[in-house]
Amino acid sequence: MPTRDAMKVRRLVAIAYPLAVPHMTIFLRGVMDYGQEHGGWSLTTSPPSLIGAGEKALTLADLRGWPGDGVFAAILNQADIHMARRLRIPVLNGASTLRDTGIPRVRPDHYAMGRLAAEHLLGRGFQRLAYYGLQGFWFSEERCRGFAERAQQAGATCDVLQVPQDCGRWASWQKRTKLLVGWLKQLQRPVGILAVQDYRARVLMEECGRLNLHIPHDVAVIGMEDDPTLCEFCRPTLSSVVRDSWRLGFETAAALDRLMDGLSVPDDLPVAPAGVVARQSTDTIAVEDPHLAAALHFIHDHLN
């Protein structure tokens, strides 16, 4: 008797999600690997969001009347929720912007990512930690919660800065970083800082340079997502927590497949992070005694 997978027809699945982010390439491989194992999938994907080249990202509104079987999308607001419900085909959410959308979601375990970052910095000897995040984003709140709770469990302090996403379209760079600069000035050092994303970690490192704060000895910095373009092409190179992108893709495809079969899935499916890629921005040992710290840092910086 034919197996359930053998009886399946080829799925037509849309991915209304930006694919230009590096980790999405690995995510897409996970989706395709699942699809190949389960009857073969044909994917309709979003073009790069290159407005100057005449392209725009694929949206849920673009898929009205589309003759497909299912959609993986980023549900970012109430308009997205409304449109997802109007499509009349299964939709799976891949975004963590909102806490609750009523649409099943597969996503990184942001809480576990925050804990992992704290453990990395605690392992470098830091007893003062800090978190640099974004207001109004659930994933930032979760990463902060995991980070701060792990710091508290270890007896470390944790200072938190959550900045508005947008300071105004025409705001100068100085105005957009004003809160960050003031915060960095008042932090007691040495301190280990987690930034909500690799880009924000780069911004933080740039401002540390302008304030003559040495990375990693005064301020150790770790980011999130492990974007190689951001992490490898800066000085010092940036440590980062890695989401398990292939597993996310595979589990997303598995959940969407169940929905397309008319089966239920949990409302929220977190996928554990893959680990930490340690680079120069956290390559230090935090020591409180200033004389001992100076000696250790001199040795560290002159090993060759």
Side-chain angles (χ1 to χ4, degrees):
M1 182 176 179
T3 65
R4 172 175 168 266
D5 290 335
M7 293 186 291
K8 282 192 174 183
V9 296
R10 187 176 182 86
R11 299 288 203 192
L12 179 56
V13 174
I15 299 183
Y17 200 93
L19 297 180
V21 182
H23 63 73
M24 286 303 295
T25 302
I26 306 172
F27 170 91
L28 196 58
R29 172 52 58 195
V31 172
M32 291 300 296
D33 286 349
Y34 180 93
Q36 289 172 4
E37 291 179 14
H38 297 81
W41 286 18
S42 176
L43 297 183
T44 296
T45 60
S46 182
S49 299
L50 300 175
I51 297 174
E55 301 288 358
K56 73 180 188 69
L58 184 68
T59 68
L60 288 169
D62 296 329
L63 295 172
R64 288 173 294 184
W66 175 71
D69 301 297
V71 180
F72 171 70
I75 307 297
L76 304 175
N77 49 49
Q78 291 299 318
D80 289 339
I81 295 172
H82 177 69
M83 188 55 63
R85 289 172 176 163
R86 290 185 60 189
L87 287 182
R88 301 184 185 280
I89 57 175
V91 177
L92 192 70
N93 180 21
S96 302
T97 303
L98 304 176
R99 183 181 299 275
D100 298 306
T101 63
I103 296 169
R105 168 170 56 198
V106 179
R107 47 91 179 175
D109 189 335
H110 302 292
Y111 177 86
M113 292 175 76
R115 286 186 64 89
L116 203 56
E119 288 169 2
H120 178 73
L121 293 171
L122 291 167
R124 297 297 191 271
F126 287 94
Q127 285 300 299
R128 283 185 291 273
L129 303 185
Y131 178 78
Y132 169 42
L134 292 169
Q135 288 179 6
F137 289 87
W138 179 67
F139 69 86
S140 181
E141 295 170 5
E142 283 294 284
R143 292 175 180 186
C144 180
R145 186 168 69 89
F147 186 73
E149 287 185 7
R150 183 65 186 91
Q152 183 181 33
Q153 290 169 1
T157 61
C158 185
D159 204 316
V160 175
L161 174 68
Q162 300 265 24
V163 298
Q165 180 192 20
D166 188 4
C167 294
R169 183 179 178 184
W170 305 111
S172 67
W173 182 256
Q174 287 81 1
K175 184 174 181 180
R176 281 182 280 165
T177 59
K178 183 178 179 180
L179 286 174
L180 174 61
V181 171
W183 183 64
L184 286 172
K185 286 180 178 179
Q186 60 88 28
L187 288 178
Q188 187 177 353
R189 298 179 287 276
V191 60
I193 303 180
L194 167 63
V196 62
Q197 298 159 337
D198 290 331
Y199 169 72
R200 292 283 170 171
R202 285 284 302 269
V203 171
L204 189 151
M205 290 169 66
E206 290 168 8
E207 296 307 322
C208 284
R210 293 187 179 95
L211 294 172
N212 294 317
L213 299 176
H214 188 280
I215 298 174
H217 301 324
D218 293 330
V219 180
V221 182
I222 183 169
M224 291 266 184
E225 313 294 358
D226 194 41
D227 183 331
T229 304
L230 293 169
C231 295
E232 293 287 353
F233 297 102
C234 64
R235 292 294 177 269
T237 54
L238 175 64
S239 298
S240 188
V241 179
V242 189
R243 61 167 67 194
D244 193 340
S245 298
W246 184 90
R247 176 57 58 187
L248 273 164
F250 195 89
E251 296 297 336
T252 293
L256 185 57
D257 200 23
R258 286 184 59 85
L259 290 175
M260 292 187 292
D261 278 339
L263 304 174
S264 64
V265 299
D267 291 338
D268 191 57
L269 288 166
V271 175
V276 172
V277 176
R279 298 185 179 91
Q280 294 169 344
S281 67
T282 58
D283 185 15
T284 187
I285 295 295
V287 177
E288 293 297 320
D289 182 279
H291 301 293
L292 180 57
L296 288 176
H297 295 162
F298 179 88
I299 294 169
H300 176 278
D301 295 339
H302 297 81
L303 286 175
N304 293 327

